[in-house]
Amino acid sequence: MIYIDEKVFSVKDVSSVADVVQEALALKAAPYDNQDLGKHKTLGLVFLNPSLRTRLSTQKAAMNLGMNVMVMNMDKDGWALETQDGVVMNGSTVEHIREAAAVMGEYCDILGLRSFPKLKDREEDYSEDLFNKFIKYCGVPVVSLESATRHPLQSLTDIITITEHKKTAKPKVVLAWAPHVKALPQAVPNSFAEWMCKAQEEGLVEFTIAQPMGYELSKDFTKGATISTNLNESLKDADFVYVKNWSSYQEYGEVYTVDEDWMMDNEKLSLTNDAKVMHCLPVRRDLELSSEILDGPNSLVIKEASNRVWAAQVVLKRMLEDLV
């Protein structure tokens, strides 16, 4: 694995998708074989936003590797952070990121960081200012537990899950936009698209994105993908359907009214090649994805969530190997 500025942030930090997937599956078969790597090493998990699967799976992965784990909920337990330089801190912020990140680096050998975008200013969110400052000041390797633009551990999980359950050498994978009650970030679909495009380059999948007009993702993440505004047509011959909502990238954070029915149900599933259906969770039942699919034989959401451990573990293993 290639580390850029001592971070694990995107598919660009992986030289081969196929290789990292096979390594993850080997760890799944023998999860405790590398405990000496993590002995006397500490992973710090820093959350500025809620987490269930990312938090628990990364903790379990670290413990499988023999690591100690410390969790910091900055949004609840930490001081309000100032991230800008040259600011007189006479307002609501209590601690500067320079000191906070540096101190965390003193306590930990690797840091994991999770932070969601505000969806107000695209330039600010897509600059990944918070992540870059943590990387700059903490002095230790950093792994993304989700950022404004990407969720790499989730996307690695997804390609692991597809590899385990595929019935053909090069399955057709469809990323399908779904309705939601509020504006959601582009991080998961960006990351999924980026990993699938890389997997497509390696001959592992055939990749299509289906979304309504106005919901196009940044082209930086979708190069090589087939992009369509016709869900039913896109579902034809699909082997996997990855369901996810996201807000507009062009009109940043906006949510448009969509006349067509974009929720996946068994009727739409019948258009596919008996496709397996995936979602990163949490999912709003009968809004994003029908209960009949979630409770039916085509759902992979629980197996997908289970594989979060092995995605985290392979990344942490490679990071620990670089520390030796």
Side-chain angles (χ1 to χ4, degrees), residues 198-234:
K198 172 76 169 174
Q200 184 170 257
E201 287 177 11
E202 295 184 21
L204 304 176
V205 300
E206 176 189 339
F207 181 49
T208 295
I209 302 172
Q211 90 270 308
M213 290 289 293
Y215 284 98
E216 297 80 6
L217 296 168
S218 167
K219 293 180 181 179
D220 291 340
F221 299 95
T222 62
K223 292 173 184 174
T226 299
I227 300 174
S228 173
T229 57
N230 188 321
L231 177 60
N232 287 356
E233 183 64 28
S234 298

CSV table of all heavy atoms in Angstrom, one decimal, residues 198-234:
chain,number,residue,atom,x,y,z
A,198,LYS,N,-11.5,2.1,-10.3
A,198,LYS,CA,-10.1,1.5,-10.2
A,198,LYS,C,-10.3,0.0,-10.4
A,198,LYS,O,-9.5,-0.7,-11.1
A,198,LYS,CB,-9.5,1.8,-8.8
A,198,LYS,CG,-8.2,1.0,-8.5
A,198,LYS,CD,-7.0,1.6,-9.3
A,198,LYS,CE,-5.7,0.9,-8.7
A,198,LYS,NZ,-4.6,1.3,-9.5
A,199,ALA,N,-11.3,-0.6,-9.8
A,199,ALA,CA,-11.5,-2.1,-10.0
A,199,ALA,C,-11.9,-2.4,-11.4
A,199,ALA,O,-11.5,-3.4,-11.9
A,199,ALA,CB,-12.7,-2.5,-9.0
A,200,GLN,N,-12.6,-1.5,-12.1
A,200,GLN,CA,-12.9,-1.7,-13.5
A,200,GLN,C,-11.7,-1.6,-14.3
A,200,GLN,O,-11.5,-2.4,-15.3
A,200,GLN,CB,-13.9,-0.6,-13.9
A,200,GLN,CG,-14.4,-0.8,-15.3
A,200,GLN,CD,-15.6,0.2,-15.7
A,200,GLN,OE1,-16.7,-0.3,-15.7
A,200,GLN,NE2,-15.3,1.4,-15.9
A,201,GLU,N,-10.8,-0.7,-14.0
A,201,GLU,CA,-9.5,-0.7,-14.7
A,201,GLU,C,-8.7,-2.0,-14.6
A,201,GLU,O,-8.0,-2.4,-15.5
A,201,GLU,CB,-8.6,0.5,-14.2
A,201,GLU,CG,-9.1,1.9,-14.5
A,201,GLU,CD,-8.2,2.9,-13.9
A,201,GLU,OE1,-7.2,2.6,-13.3
A,201,GLU,OE2,-8.6,4.1,-13.9
A,202,GLU,N,-8.8,-2.6,-13.5
A,202,GLU,CA,-8.1,-3.9,-13.2
A,202,GLU,C,-8.9,-5.1,-13.8
A,202,GLU,O,-8.5,-6.2,-13.6
A,202,GLU,CB,-7.9,-4.1,-11.7
A,202,GLU,CG,-6.9,-3.1,-11.1
A,202,GLU,CD,-6.6,-3.3,-9.7
A,202,GLU,OE1,-6.8,-4.5,-9.2
A,202,GLU,OE2,-6.2,-2.4,-9.0
A,203,GLY,N,-10.1,-4.8,-14.4
A,203,GLY,CA,-10.9,-5.9,-15.0
A,203,GLY,C,-11.7,-6.7,-14.0
A,203,GLY,O,-12.1,-7.8,-14.3
A,204,LEU,N,-12.0,-6.1,-12.9
A,204,LEU,CA,-12.7,-6.8,-11.8
A,204,LEU,C,-14.2,-6.7,-11.9
A,204,LEU,O,-14.9,-7.5,-11.4
A,204,LEU,CB,-12.2,-6.4,-10.4
A,204,LEU,CG,-10.7,-6.5,-10.2
A,204,LEU,CD1,-10.3,-5.9,-8.8
A,204,LEU,CD2,-10.2,-7.9,-10.3
A,205,VAL,N,-14.7,-5.5,-12.4
A,205,VAL,CA,-16.1,-5.2,-12.5
A,205,VAL,C,-16.4,-4.4,-13.7
A,205,VAL,O,-15.5,-3.9,-14.4
A,205,VAL,CB,-16.6,-4.4,-11.2
A,205,VAL,CG1,-16.3,-5.2,-9.9
A,205,VAL,CG2,-15.9,-3.0,-11.2
A,206,GLU,N,-17.7,-4.3,-14.0
A,206,GLU,CA,-18.2,-3.4,-15.0
A,206,GLU,C,-19.1,-2.4,-14.2
A,206,GLU,O,-20.0,-2.9,-13.4
A,206,GLU,CB,-19.1,-4.1,-16.0
A,206,GLU,CG,-19.8,-3.2,-17.0
A,206,GLU,CD,-20.7,-4.0,-17.9
A,206,GLU,OE1,-20.6,-5.2,-18.0
A,206,GLU,OE2,-21.7,-3.4,-18.4
A,207,PHE,N,-18.9,-1.1,-14.3
A,207,PHE,CA,-19.5,-0.2,-13.3
A,207,PHE,C,-20.3,0.9,-14.0
A,207,PHE,O,-20.0,1.5,-14.9
A,207,PHE,CB,-18.3,0.5,-12.5
A,207,PHE,CG,-18.8,1.5,-11.5
A,207,PHE,CD1,-19.8,1.1,-10.6
A,207,PHE,CD2,-18.3,2.8,-11.4
A,207,PHE,CE1,-20.2,2.0,-9.6
A,207,PHE,CE2,-18.7,3.7,-10.5
A,207,PHE,CZ,-19.7,3.3,-9.5
A,208,THR,N,-21.6,1.0,-13.4
A,208,THR,CA,-22.5,2.0,-13.9
A,208,THR,C,-23.1,2.8,-12.7
A,208,THR,O,-23.3,2.3,-11.6
A,208,THR,CB,-23.7,1.3,-14.5
A,208,THR,OG1,-23.3,0.7,-15.7
A,208,THR,CG2,-24.8,2.3,-14.9
A,209,ILE,N,-23.3,4.1,-12.9
A,209,ILE,CA,-23.9,5.0,-11.9
A,209,ILE,C,-25.2,5.4,-12.5
A,209,ILE,O,-25.3,6.0,-13.6
A,209,ILE,CB,-23.0,6.2,-11.6
A,209,ILE,CG1,-21.7,5.8,-11.1
A,209,ILE,CG2,-23.7,7.1,-10.6
A,209,ILE,CD1,-20.7,7.0,-10.9
A,210,ALA,N,-26.3,5.3,-11.7
A,210,ALA,CA,-27.6,5.7,-12.1
A,210,ALA,C,-28.1,6.7,-11.1
A,210,ALA,O,-28.2,6.5,-9.9
A,210,ALA,CB,-28.6,4.5,-12.1
A,211,GLN,N,-28.4,8.0,-11.6
A,211,GLN,CA,-28.9,9.0,-10.7
A,211,GLN,C,-29.8,10.0,-11.5
A,211,GLN,O,-29.7,10.1,-12.7
A,211,GLN,CB,-27.7,9.8,-10.1
A,211,GLN,CG,-27.2,11.0,-10.8
A,211,GLN,CD,-26.1,10.7,-11.8
A,211,GLN,OE1,-25.1,10.1,-11.5
A,211,GLN,NE2,-26.3,11.1,-13.1
A,212,PRO,N,-30.7,10.6,-10.8
A,212,PRO,CA,-31.5,11.6,-11.5
A,212,PRO,C,-30.7,12.8,-12.0
A,212,PRO,O,-29.6,13.1,-11.5
A,212,PRO,CB,-32.5,12.1,-10.4
A,212,PRO,CG,-32.4,11.1,-9.3
A,212,PRO,CD,-31.0,10.5,-9.4
A,213,MET,N,-31.3,13.6,-12.9
A,213,MET,CA,-30.6,14.8,-13.4
A,213,MET,C,-30.4,15.7,-12.2
A,213,MET,O,-31.2,15.9,-11.3
A,213,MET,CB,-31.5,15.5,-14.4
A,213,MET,CG,-31.7,14.8,-15.7
A,213,MET,SD,-30.2,14.9,-16.7
A,213,MET,CE,-30.1,16.6,-17.1
A,214,GLY,N,-29.2,16.3,-12.1
A,214,GLY,CA,-28.9,17.2,-11.1
A,214,GLY,C,-28.1,16.6,-9.9
A,214,GLY,O,-27.6,17.3,-9.1
A,215,TYR,N,-28.0,15.3,-10.0
A,215,TYR,CA,-27.3,14.6,-8.9
A,215,TYR,C,-25.9,14.0,-9.4
A,215,TYR,O,-25.4,13.0,-8.8
A,215,TYR,CB,-28.1,13.5,-8.3
A,215,TYR,CG,-29.2,14.0,-7.4
A,215,TYR,CD1,-30.5,14.2,-7.8
A,215,TYR,CD2,-28.9,14.4,-6.1
A,215,TYR,CE1,-31.5,14.8,-7.0
A,215,TYR,CE2,-29.9,14.9,-5.2
A,215,TYR,CZ,-31.2,15.1,-5.7
A,215,TYR,OH,-32.1,15.6,-4.9
A,216,GLU,N,-25.3,14.6,-10.4
A,216,GLU,CA,-24.1,14.1,-10.9
A,216,GLU,C,-23.0,14.3,-9.9
A,216,GLU,O,-22.9,15.4,-9.3
A,216,GLU,CB,-23.7,14.8,-12.2
A,216,GLU,CG,-24.6,14.6,-13.4
A,216,GLU,CD,-25.9,15.4,-13.3
A,216,GLU,OE1,-26.0,16.3,-12.4
A,216,GLU,OE2,-26.8,15.2,-14.2
A,217,LEU,N,-22.1,13.3,-9.6
A,217,LEU,CA,-21.0,13.4,-8.8
A,217,LEU,C,-19.9,14.2,-9.5
A,217,LEU,O,-19.9,14.3,-10.7
A,217,LEU,CB,-20.5,12.1,-8.3
A,217,LEU,CG,-21.5,11.2,-7.5
A,217,LEU,CD1,-21.0,9.8,-7.4
A,217,LEU,CD2,-21.7,11.8,-6.1
A,218,SER,N,-18.9,14.6,-8.7
A,218,SER,CA,-17.7,15.2,-9.3
A,218,SER,C,-17.0,14.2,-10.2
A,218,SER,O,-16.8,13.1,-9.9
A,218,SER,CB,-16.7,15.6,-8.2
A,218,SER,OG,-15.5,15.9,-8.8
A,219,LYS,N,-16.6,14.7,-11.4
A,219,LYS,CA,-16.0,13.9,-12.4
A,219,LYS,C,-14.6,13.3,-11.9
A,219,LYS,O,-14.1,12.4,-12.5
A,219,LYS,CB,-15.8,14.7,-13.7
A,219,LYS,CG,-17.1,15.0,-14.4
A,219,LYS,CD,-16.9,15.8,-15.7
A,219,LYS,CE,-18.2,16.2,-16.3
A,219,LYS,NZ,-18.0,17.0,-17.6
A,220,ASP,N,-14.1,14.0,-10.9
A,220,ASP,CA,-12.8,13.5,-10.3
A,220,ASP,C,-13.0,12.0,-9.8
A,220,ASP,O,-12.0,11.3,-9.6
A,220,ASP,CB,-12.3,14.4,-9.2
A,220,ASP,CG,-11.9,15.7,-9.7
A,220,ASP,OD1,-11.6,15.8,-10.9
A,220,ASP,OD2,-11.8,16.7,-8.9
A,221,PHE,N,-14.2,11.6,-9.4
A,221,PHE,CA,-14.4,10.3,-8.8
A,221,PHE,C,-15.1,9.3,-9.8
A,221,PHE,O,-15.2,8.1,-9.4
A,221,PHE,CB,-15.3,10.5,-7.6
A,221,PHE,CG,-14.8,11.4,-6.5
A,221,PHE,CD1,-15.1,12.7,-6.5
A,221,PHE,CD2,-13.9,10.9,-5.6
A,221,PHE,CE1,-14.6,13.5,-5.5
A,221,PHE,CE2,-13.3,11.7,-4.6
A,221,PHE,CZ,-13.7,13.0,-4.6
A,222,THR,N,-15.5,9.7,-11.0
A,222,THR,CA,-16.3,8.9,-11.8
A,222,THR,C,-15.7,8.5,-13.2
A,222,THR,O,-16.4,8.0,-14.0
A,222,THR,CB,-17.7,9.5,-12.0
A,222,THR,OG1,-17.6,10.8,-12.7
A,222,THR,CG2,-18.4,9.7,-10.7
A,223,LYS,N,-14.4,8.9,-13.3
A,223,LYS,CA,-13.8,8.6,-14.6
A,223,LYS,C,-13.8,7.1,-15.0
A,223,LYS,O,-13.3,6.3,-14.2
A,223,LYS,CB,-12.4,9.2,-14.6
A,223,LYS,CG,-12.3,10.7,-14.5
A,223,LYS,CD,-10.9,11.2,-14.4
A,223,LYS,CE,-10.8,12.7,-14.2
A,223,LYS,NZ,-9.5,13.2,-13.8
A,224,GLY,N,-14.4,6.8,-16.1
A,224,GLY,CA,-14.5,5.4,-16.6
A,224,GLY,C,-15.8,4.8,-16.3
A,224,GLY,O,-16.1,3.7,-16.9
A,225,ALA,N,-16.6,5.4,-15.5
A,225,ALA,CA,-18.0,4.8,-15.2
A,225,ALA,C,-19.0,5.1,-16.3
A,225,ALA,O,-18.9,6.2,-16.9
A,225,ALA,CB,-18.5,5.4,-13.8
A,226,THR,N,-19.9,4.2,-16.5
A,226,THR,CA,-21.1,4.5,-17.3
A,226,THR,C,-22.1,5.3,-16.5
A,226,THR,O,-22.4,4.8,-15.4
A,226,THR,CB,-21.7,3.2,-17.9
A,226,THR,OG1,-20.7,2.5,-18.7
A,226,THR,CG2,-22.9,3.5,-18.7
A,227,ILE,N,-22.6,6.4,-16.9
A,227,ILE,CA,-23.5,7.2,-16.1
A,227,ILE,C,-24.8,7.4,-16.8
A,227,ILE,O,-24.8,7.7,-18.0
A,227,ILE,CB,-22.8,8.6,-15.8
A,227,ILE,CG1,-21.5,8.4,-15.1
A,227,ILE,CG2,-23.8,9.5,-15.0
A,227,ILE,CD1,-20.7,9.7,-14.8
A,228,SER,N,-25.9,7.2,-16.1
A,228,SER,CA,-27.2,7.2,-16.7
A,228,SER,C,-28.2,7.8,-15.7
A,228,SER,O,-28.0,7.8,-14.5
A,228,SER,CB,-27.6,5.7,-17.0
A,228,SER,OG,-29.0,5.7,-17.4
A,229,THR,N,-29.2,8.4,-16.3
A,229,THR,CA,-30.4,8.9,-15.6
A,229,THR,C,-31.6,8.0,-15.6
A,229,THR,O,-32.7,8.4,-15.2
A,229,THR,CB,-30.8,10.3,-16.1
A,229,THR,OG1,-31.1,10.3,-17.4
A,229,THR,CG2,-29.6,11.3,-15.8
A,230,ASN,N,-31.4,6.8,-16.2
A,230,ASN,CA,-32.5,5.9,-16.4
A,230,ASN,C,-32.2,4.7,-15.5
A,230,ASN,O,-31.4,3.8,-15.8
A,230,ASN,CB,-32.6,5.4,-17.8
A,230,ASN,CG,-33.8,4.6,-18.1
A,230,ASN,OD1,-34.2,3.7,-17.3
A,230,ASN,ND2,-34.5,4.8,-19.2
A,231,LEU,N,-32.8,4.6,-14.3
A,231,LEU,CA,-32.6,3.6,-13.3
A,231,LEU,C,-32.9,2.2,-13.9
A,231,LEU,O,-32.2,1.2,-13.8
A,231,LEU,CB,-33.4,3.8,-12.0
A,231,LEU,CG,-33.2,2.7,-11.0
A,231,LEU,CD1,-31.8,2.6,-10.5
A,231,LEU,CD2,-34.1,3.1,-9.7
A,232,ASN,N,-34.1,2.1,-14.5
A,232,ASN,CA,-34.6,0.8,-14.9
A,232,ASN,C,-33.6,0.2,-16.0
A,232,ASN,O,-33.3,-1.0,-16.0
A,232,ASN,CB,-36.0,0.9,-15.5
A,232,ASN,CG,-37.0,1.0,-14.4
A,232,ASN,OD1,-36.7,1.0,-13.2
A,232,ASN,ND2,-38.3,1.2,-14.8
A,233,GLU,N,-33.2,1.0,-16.9
A,233,GLU,CA,-32.3,0.6,-18.0
A,233,GLU,C,-30.9,0.2,-17.4
A,233,GLU,O,-30.3,-0.8,-17.8
A,233,GLU,CB,-32.1,1.7,-19.0
A,233,GLU,CG,-31.2,1.3,-20.2
A,233,GLU,CD,-31.8,0.2,-21.0
A,233,GLU,OE1,-33.0,0.1,-21.1
A,233,GLU,OE2,-31.0,-0.5,-21.6
A,234,SER,N,-30.5,1.0,-16.4
A,234,SER,CA,-29.2,0.7,-15.7
A,234,SER,C,-29.2,-0.7,-15.0
A,234,SER,O,-28.2,-1.4,-14.9
A,234,SER,CB,-28.8,1.8,-14.8
A,234,SER,OG,-28.7,3.0,-15.4
